[in-house]
Amino acid sequence: MNPRIAIVSLLAFGWLLLTGTWLSAQFTTAVLDGVISPGEYGTHVDGANQQLEGSTTYYMSWDNTNLYLAFSGSNATEGAVIYLDVNPTFPVNGGTDADGSLTGFWNYDANQAQQPFRADFVLYYKDSYHEYRYADGAGYWGTQTANTLANGSNLGSNTMEIAVPWNVLTQGGGRPRRFNWHTFKVYYANASNNGVYHAVPPGNPTCACNTEPNNTFVTHYYNVFRTGNFISTLPFSTQSFTYHEDNSAPGSGGYILNGGSFFDVTVNDNSLDNLDNDPGNHVYDNNGIANRLLVEGNLNIANDLYIGPGSALLPADNGSGAVVATLTMTGDTGAVYNFGRIDANPEASTFNDWNNRRMDLVIDGNITLEASPLFKERYRLANITVNSGDSLLGPDTDSTNLELQWGLLNNNGVVDFGDGSAGVVDLGTRGDWSQQNDYFFNSSLGTGQWFLHDVLIGRNSSALRPVNGGNAVLLQIQGDFENYDEFVAKDGSGELDVVMAGRFAQYIRGNVTETTAGRTTFHNLEIANSTGLGDYNNSGDVFFVSFGGGNIEYVLTGQLTLTSGDLVTRDRTNPATVHNLTLTDTATVNFSGASSNLTTAGSCFIDGPVRYEVANALPVVREFPVGKSLLLSGYLLGDYRHLTLDLDHDAATPTVYTVEMFLDDRSNFYTFPPPTPELITWISRQRYWNVTKSAGANVQNALITLDYDVDERNDGVTNPGGLRIVKDDGVGNWVNIAVGGGGTGTGTGRITSNSFTDFSDFTLASIDGGMPLPVEMLSFAAVRADDAVRLDWSTANEINSDYFVVERSRDRLVFRPIGEVPAAGNSAGLRAYRHWDRDLEPGVEQYHYRLRAVDQDGSTQFSEIRAVNLTPGGSIAVFPNPAASSLTVRSEGPMIQQLRLYNGLGQVVADRPVAATQVILAVETLAAGMYYLEIRTATGVVAQPIQVRH
């Protein structure tokens, strides 16, 4: 699913206009004369090129050579201090001392104890005196450089101007692409009367620094994220907020932020003692460091939110009244980086307390949730809303967890939490206090798109349900779906539909000891798990499994759609364990994607039992798209064989009919049917269907229809008119229930039985030997090799096979035998065969080949037809063989497209799509033994037995 969703949005530009974050030409050269002329320094509007704070107006501009600063409303006893960061770290106060200083400079009339970013440069300007210093790399400041910068002042109008060359600021690096900065005024009357005032951005603290020098924490700063001409950020237009540890914070610890609009928000103490070791996943005093940002009011962030390790963003708790804070992310390329904790409802004292202390998230842009190395409980949010045209995305790399907390996830845009190819967000719910905690999904406009990775419905009375009165929400799940409590698929007019659409094996799991009534009820469920690798989809199946042991009941009330990737209900590690899938009486199955799993086309069928609950007393028809995957029985290929039940029964109580197909030979489990009314000469040794009925309805009449292939698989049915259905009578006898063909059309691939009233095992049989042969033809390849054609094929599970006839044709119409190869007779594993055609006629450009498999009783079966181009094309070499550590596959002609290696059980142990003329395949981790290598090129498939020795 992922590539990342690209959404073109104008929201960022709207935010720029609404907040004054304008982009314009910034190359404005100032005249350093102590006079601020009209138009000088650009736009004289607060939030653009100037900012009035108290009696002081600050100005900033630049050209390609200098940064210009001006201050009006100053007098001889006042100075200005400007801190700049010209190579911002991420986060801005992260990194090390080598990235800049977090500590202000004491000698500038006051000590600014903490900076919001790692400053590189500090400038002090007072009267006609000025000096600057660089961060010294050790967390402090280097030696001063005084009175070397161009400046101008007008004491009569209390105005000062100064120019700082970019090369001075960046130590020869020229104009930076971006920088952060803040400034303030200082005064000094005497040793007991000095301090800080008129700080910008507004909101930064002022203080009498002679009495409280260490309790001054600067939190606001300006961002200039573009400095080029015509694409500049106006210097006072964009501000951000950094909160770092503050032991003097009021209340239970933390800093209360009464909302506001910011570009970036950073919560990061950057201390040595910044780890949260609380086992309950709660940040309390953080070992004496109160590094909590407590939000009271609405907080708008236009770019990034960063929560550092040991830090937290929480709603405030003022002790009285409700605190419902809304965190709105408006950036078009913003992100939430959570390496600490975001909690919508921390330490709630009662179940209803979450309603009085809550934090909601609104996505009004295109935002990514970046990875957190900590626990899923650290990313808790109550209500989440994604607006129309916006998106909430998973991380580019790594993974994180997001937990709903008694809230609503309302998506009218796109929620894309990743498919595991890069980074993912796993979504979970968790209750508490043994009370029902509901989590709702909604798409009120009916336009939301949901692409989720893992979904976990947690323990402790958690419930995931749709909003009653909302729209149908389609959840495409790329990972696993886990329900350990309650999943409500349909609630009134609200509906949650699930599509399992990953690229690898997926699991729908629960826990029988903790799941409500041991059931997970889906409404509409689709299996669309295509690996896209052409590997017969065996690694793309969807499994029902139990987490805590025992059997889980899965119920479907709407439609089951089978598209790609088999749905496995029988535990493959413990086949005796079955996780039942029950389709209610109103449920339907769309099985248009179901197919025999012979080619690279994806299959989709139910591997294991599927149950239909029938309550209708009238005649009903129920479809069972059953099959059996190769990994269960050791076969190389999966096998889909549909079954239809046509039922006429009373329905005083609902009755469950269960169907499963098996790839096993049951011919010797029962005696042959009596010769009357027909002589059955063969019972299928390939597969059978088991059908059972629960107690309840009495069946007056039933018909069964079974599928067989006449084209793709060629089940060996050479005479469809002779095909029959037999069933087990319960005491060890096969009974013929399709006398005279059972009313089916011949050669259609479906056969229908005559009437019966009880259920057991069913399979195919024949009255003339035209029946499913006991030879599993796995592959057949023919390729040009120098002056000959090499033919390779393989089989599995041969029973009483005799020999193979190799046939050749020029026109694909008339075939003539060119050789015979003895068959294995009886074989339960993989068998590889080879024949060389060295008698090539001059002038023939193309031959067509096929195999005719002959059984010991004379029955025959044909393979698919392979064409070989006899024009020069090169050969394929595989060496060394035997191999110990690696194989080299080299083509002298067409490019190699794919390598697939099978073990002796017919299981795929290596599958590599490639595009090269030489490939090295590692085999050192494989067990010693015989293997079988398929090499696919544009001209065909080469089959090569391989021996691995260590």
Side-chain angles (χ1 to χ4, degrees):
M1 172 206 61
N2 255 350
R4 281 272 182 242
I5 300 171
I7 301 177
V8 179
S9 175
L10 297 178
L11 288 172
F13 293 100
W15 184 86
L16 298 178
L17 294 173
L18 289 173
T19 62
T21 309
W22 308 319
L23 303 181
S24 69
Q26 189 59 49
F27 283 11
T28 304
T29 301
V31 179
L32 304 180
D33 56 2
V35 176
I36 309 299
S37 302
E40 190 178 17
Y41 291 93
T43 307
H44 290 183
V45 173
D46 280 1
N49 283 61
Q50 76 167 39
Q51 182 65 49
L52 173 65
E53 181 67 12
S55 61
T56 302
T57 302
Y58 298 84
Y59 301 88
M60 178 181 282
S61 184
W62 59 83
D63 57 24
N64 202 35
T65 304
N66 297 306
L67 173 68
Y68 301 100
L69 299 140
F71 315 89
S72 66
S74 300
N75 59 51
T77 64
E78 299 170 346
V81 181
I82 306 100
Y83 288 92
L84 295 103
D85 181 10
V86 294
N87 59 342
T89 59
F90 185 81
V92 291
N93 70 339
T96 66
D97 289 338
D99 299 305
S101 176
L102 293 175
T103 305
F105 190 61
W106 169 256
N107 290 344
Y108 294 152
D109 297 330
N111 177 19
Q112 290 302 116
Q114 288 286 336
Q115 299 295 320
F117 49 69
R118 285 199 174 272
D120 308 297
F121 186 89
V122 59
L123 172 66
Y124 174 66
Y125 187 38
K126 180 177 180 180
D127 233 351
S128 59
Y129 173 79
H130 55 80
E131 70 173 47
Y132 59 86
R133 298 171 187 261
Y134 298 109
D136 66 356
Y140 202 57
W141 297 95
T143 58
Q144 69 181 38
T145 300
N147 288 318
T148 62
L149 304 178
N151 66 95
S153 62
N154 185 332
L155 298 181
S157 62
N158 294 327
T159 300
M160 301 182 296
E161 296 181 276
I162 194 166
V164 183
W166 288 121
N167 277 328
V168 170
L169 183 61
T170 62
Q171 301 189 67
R175 174 173 52 84
R177 297 181 61 185
R178 60 181 300 176
F179 63 91
N180 299 325
W181 71 285
H182 73 92
T183 185
F184 52 86
K185 298 292 290 295
V186 295
Y187 67 93
Y188 183 84
N190 53 58
S192 62
N193 184 15
N194 62 80
V196 174
Y197 71 111
H198 293 177
V200 292
N204 278 336
T206 59
C207 68
C209 291
N210 61 313
T211 58
E212 296 180 303
N214 295 318
N215 290 335
T216 305
F217 287 78
V218 176
T219 55
H220 297 69
Y221 63 95
Y222 289 117
N223 307 84
V224 176
F225 51 90
R226 293 185 182 93
T227 63
N229 197 15
F230 298 109
I231 56 169
S232 288
T233 311
L234 297 185
F236 296 88
S237 64
T238 303
Q239 66 168 293
S240 293
F241 181 89
T242 299
Y243 176 64
H244 33 73
E245 53 95 0
D246 182 354
N247 292 329
S248 66
S252 61
Y255 179 91
I256 296 178
L257 181 66
N258 294 315
S261 295
F262 301 97
F263 186 70
D264 290 330
V265 170
T266 302
V267 186
N268 185 46
D269 68 13
N270 196 42
S271 69
L272 295 177
D273 189 11
N274 65 353
L275 297 178
D276 177 12
N277 298 315
D278 174 39
N281 297 326
H282 296 288
V283 180
Y284 288 100
D285 64 356
N286 197 24
N287 296 322
I289 299 174
N291 196 39
R292 295 173 164 193
L293 181 61
L294 307 176
V295 180
E296 187 175 74
N298 295 330
L299 179 61
N300 297 281
I301 301 175
N303 190 45
D304 291 338
L305 168 64
Y306 182 94
I307 311 296
S311 304
L313 179 70
L314 312 172
D317 186 1
N318 60 11
S320 63
V323 175
V324 180
T326 298
L327 170 63
T328 302
M329 302 292 297
T330 63
D332 207 33
T333 58
V336 179
Y337 297 87
N338 177 26
F339 302 114
R341 178 176 174 216
I342 297 177
D343 199 333
N345 177 231
E347 295 88 59
S349 58
T350 66
F351 176 73
N352 292 323
D353 190 41
W354 74 274
N355 199 37
N356 293 322
R357 188 181 182 193
R358 193 177 78 236
M359 184 162 56
D360 298 338
L361 174 65
V362 174
I363 302 300
D364 197 25
N366 300 310
I367 306 298
T368 62
L369 295 178
E370 293 297 343
S372 168
L374 301 180
F375 303 106
K376 70 180 67 175
E377 287 82 6
R378 302 306 177 90
Y379 229 132
R380 294 186 195 162
L381 289 164
N383 297 324
I384 304 176
T385 299
V386 181
N387 291 333
S388 179
D390 301 317
S391 62
L392 180 62
L393 309 178
D396 294 326
T397 58
D398 299 324
S399 299
T400 189
N401 297 278
L402 171 64
E403 184 175 290
L404 288 180
Q405 187 158 342
W406 303 295
L408 167 66
L409 181 49
N410 187 17
N411 172 30
N412 295 304
V414 174
V415 171
D416 185 354
F417 285 165
D419 64 359
S421 61
V424 300
V425 175
D426 292 336
L427 180 66
T429 65
R430 190 187 71 169
D432 214 343
W433 310 299
S434 300
Q435 299 188 52
Q436 187 65 60
N437 303 321
D438 288 335
Y439 310 89
F440 299 97
F441 275 25
N442 191 31
S443 181
S444 59
L445 300 180
T447 57
Q449 299 181 54
W450 304 76
F451 304 94
L452 306 179
H453 194 246
D454 284 2
V455 173
L456 169 68
I457 304 171
R459 301 166 177 84
N460 300 328
S461 301
S462 299
L464 180 63
R465 63 181 71 230
V467 172
N468 187 6
N471 292 282
V473 175
L474 187 66
L475 306 178
Q476 293 199 23
I477 299 176
Q478 311 297 326
D480 298 339
F481 180 93
E482 303 181 58
N483 174 25
Y484 300 132
D485 216 305
E486 184 176 359
F487 175 65
V488 181
K490 194 169 180 62
D491 187 359
S493 59
E495 183 180 305
L496 291 179
D497 297 334
V498 175
V499 177
M500 301 299 289
R503 299 193 307 154
F504 306 100
Q506 293 179 268
Y507 297 90
I508 300 176
R509 56 166 62 93
N511 189 323
V512 70
T513 63
E514 298 187 59
T515 301
T516 302
R519 293 159 63 102
T520 295
T521 300
F522 293 99
H523 186 61
N524 294 329
L525 173 65
E526 180 177 358
I527 308 301
N529 188 7
S530 175
T531 64
L533 301 177
D535 67 347
Y536 310 110
N537 253 9
N538 294 307
S539 62
D541 291 344
V542 176
F543 299 84
F544 285 141
V545 296
S546 171
F547 182 79
N551 301 332
I552 305 296
E553 181 80 8
Y554 296 96
V555 178
L556 185 93
T557 62
Q559 184 175 80
L560 173 66
T561 301
L562 300 173
T563 302
S564 185
D566 303 333
L567 177 60
V568 183
T569 61
R570 184 177 291 273
D571 196 318
R572 284 186 172 167
T573 60
N574 181 15
T577 300
V578 175
H579 305 288
N580 286 311
L581 172 64
T582 301
L583 284 65
T584 62
D585 193 50
T586 59
T588 59
V589 180
N590 178 357
F591 52 89
S592 59
S595 67
S596 171
N597 210 2
L598 179 64
T599 67
T600 57
S603 71
C604 197
F605 50 74
I606 299 175
D607 178 356
V610 57
R611 314 195 317 171
Y612 242 123
E613 179 183 272
V614 182
N616 195 332
L618 299 175
V620 294
V621 176
R622 291 292 181 262
E623 306 283 351
F624 296 84
V626 292
K628 191 62 62 178
S629 176
L630 67 99
L631 293 180
L632 180 61
S633 301
Y635 285 70
L636 180 62
L637 302 177
D639 202 339
Y640 162 64
R641 291 295 182 271
H642 198 79
L643 182 145
T644 303
L645 281 180
D646 191 332
L647 301 167
D648 184 3
H649 68 169
D650 65 56
T653 59
T655 303
V656 175
Y657 295 86
T658 303
V659 173
E660 184 173 7
M661 194 200 82
F662 294 90
L663 291 176
D664 287 299
D665 178 6
R666 305 286 280 186
S667 62
N668 295 323
F669 278 61
Y670 310 97
T671 61
F672 267 56
T676 56
E678 295 178 301
L679 178 64
I680 296 295
T681 61
W682 201 265
I683 305 294
S684 173
R685 293 176 176 176
Q686 289 182 289
R687 65 186 60 84
Y688 73 96
W689 293 260
N690 176 259
V691 184
T692 60
K693 181 184 78 68
S694 68
N698 294 316
V699 177
Q700 283 85 42
N701 181 55
L703 301 176
I704 189 170
T705 300
L706 302 178
D707 275 10
Y708 63 91
D709 271 338
V710 294
D711 296 319
E712 179 184 357
R713 189 64 176 268
N714 189 2
D715 277 331
V717 182
T718 56
N719 178 14
L723 201 62
R724 298 292 183 265
I725 297 177
V726 293
K727 74 177 294 291
D728 171 24
D729 67 355
V731 291
N733 301 306
W734 287 118
V735 176
N736 182 359
I737 59 169
V739 179
T744 187
T746 59
T748 62
R750 310 200 83 187
I751 179 171
T752 301
S753 72
N754 295 322
S755 176
F756 60 91
T757 58
D758 62 331
F759 300 91
S760 56
D761 290 343
F762 298 78
T763 192
L764 296 172
S766 175
I767 63 173
D768 65 353
M771 73 318 168
L773 284 175
V775 174
E776 293 288 332
M777 185 71 68
L778 300 182
S779 67
F780 175 44
V783 295
R784 173 72 181 271
D786 297 327
D787 295 328
V789 173
R790 186 174 67 206
L791 300 108
D792 294 280
W793 65 98
S794 66
T795 65
N797 199 48
E798 293 183 39
I799 301 176
N800 297 329
S801 58
D802 197 354
Y803 60 92
F804 298 94
V805 179
V806 182
E807 298 182 346
R808 188 178 76 185
S809 172
R810 286 186 179 184
D811 56 8
R812 199 181 174 88
L813 299 175
V814 178
F815 284 86
R816 293 182 173 84
I818 60 171
E820 291 186 5
V821 178
N826 293 278
S827 173
L830 180 74
R831 299 287 298 187
Y833 297 91
R834 173 172 292 175
H835 180 77
W836 289 90
D837 181 10
R838 304 185 186 277
D839 186 19
L840 306 183
E841 302 175 51
V844 177
E845 295 184 354
Q846 190 177 62
Y847 277 133
H848 303 271
Y849 294 89
R850 73 179 183 186
L851 299 175
R852 178 160 52 94
V854 182
D855 195 44
Q856 292 176 5
D857 66 355
S859 303
T860 62
Q861 174 184 4
F862 288 101
S863 72
E864 296 179 349
I865 298 172
R866 303 299 188 205
V868 176
N869 191 341
L870 301 180
T871 57
S875 61
I876 294 178
V878 181
F879 59 91
N881 190 9
S885 59
S886 63
L887 283 171
T888 298
V889 184
R890 180 182 299 161
S891 173
E892 301 297 336
M895 187 173 291
I896 301 169
Q897 297 176 339
Q898 186 179 42
L899 298 178
R900 183 174 291 134
L901 189 65
Y902 301 97
N903 63 16
L905 296 176
Q907 298 168 327
V908 178
V909 296
D911 191 346
R912 287 184 57 186
V914 295
T917 57
Q918 179 169 306
V919 182
I920 297 177
L921 185 65
V923 297
E924 59 185 358
T925 60
L926 300 178
M930 291 301 299
Y931 293 83
Y932 177 71
L933 180 65
E934 278 189 357
I935 308 158
R936 183 178 298 277
T937 69
T939 60
V941 178
V942 176
Q944 173 73 53
I946 299 295
Q947 186 175 13
V948 174
R949 291 179 182 174
H950 298 302

